[in-house]
């Protein structure tokens, strides 16, 4: 009796399943929501199992190959980094010069040494 109170629709569902009849839940009910979630979960799990992605070999995935491939890339990366550093340091020097000029004008206007 306690089991029937905890799961009131279970006996009906089991009887319907034995007869091959599907039971429908009331729209918007908790049981309908749970059934919908279970169906969506099953659908997405099947899709994940089917879709393992393109078959790529280890060389492509792990970047195998000769060290000759790596050296030019590293050189190009360091060159680009150096260019950015030079440009930013030039910009910093320019901004510092402007700030020094601004402070000199301010001090002169205030009559400070």
């Amino acid at each position: 009796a306690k089991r029937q109170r905890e799961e009131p629709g279970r006996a009906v569902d089991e009887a319907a399943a034995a007869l091959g009849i599907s039971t429908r839940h009331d729209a918007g009910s908790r049981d309908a929501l749970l059934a919908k979630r279970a169906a969506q979960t099953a659908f997405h799990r099947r899709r994940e199992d089917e879709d393992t992605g393109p078959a790529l070999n280890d060389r492509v995935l792990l970047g195998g190959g000769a060290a000759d491939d790596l050296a030019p890339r590293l050189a190009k990366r360091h060159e680009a980094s150096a260019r950015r550093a030079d440009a930013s340091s030039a910009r910093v020097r320019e901004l510092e010069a402007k700030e020094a000029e601004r402070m000199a004008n301010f001090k002169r206007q205030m009559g400070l040494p």
Side-chain angles (χ1 to χ4, degrees):
K2 185 175 182 182
R3 175 183 260 180
Q4 287 178 348
R5 276 185 279 146
E6 290 175 359
E7 302 171 20
R10 184 175 180 165
V12 174
D13 289 341
E14 289 174 356
L19 296 173
I21 303 170
S22 67
T23 59
R24 291 194 55 176
H25 302 288
D26 293 334
S29 69
R30 184 173 190 284
D31 293 331
L33 178 66
L34 292 176
K36 182 178 178 182
R37 283 186 186 167
Q40 285 178 334
T41 301
F43 171 78
H44 288 294
R45 282 207 176 117
R46 279 195 310 274
R47 291 290 303 255
E48 284 178 8
D49 292 342
E50 292 171 3
D51 185 26
T52 57
L56 300 175
N57 63 21
D58 287 345
R59 179 164 190 216
V60 172
L61 292 174
L62 302 175
D68 299 338
D69 295 345
L70 183 61
R73 284 192 230 158
L74 287 177
K76 189 174 179 180
R77 181 192 295 174
H78 291 303
E79 182 180 316
S81 174
R83 260 195 321 250
R84 282 192 301 271
D86 290 343
S88 67
S89 65
R91 177 75 176 140
V92 167
R93 283 192 301 272
E94 178 185 330
L95 291 174
E96 286 174 345
K98 281 185 177 181
E99 180 65 19
E101 182 182 347
R102 213 175 285 127
M103 285 304 293
N105 287 338
F106 175 72
K107 286 180 181 180
R108 191 179 50 226
Q109 286 176 354
M110 297 301 288
L112 298 173

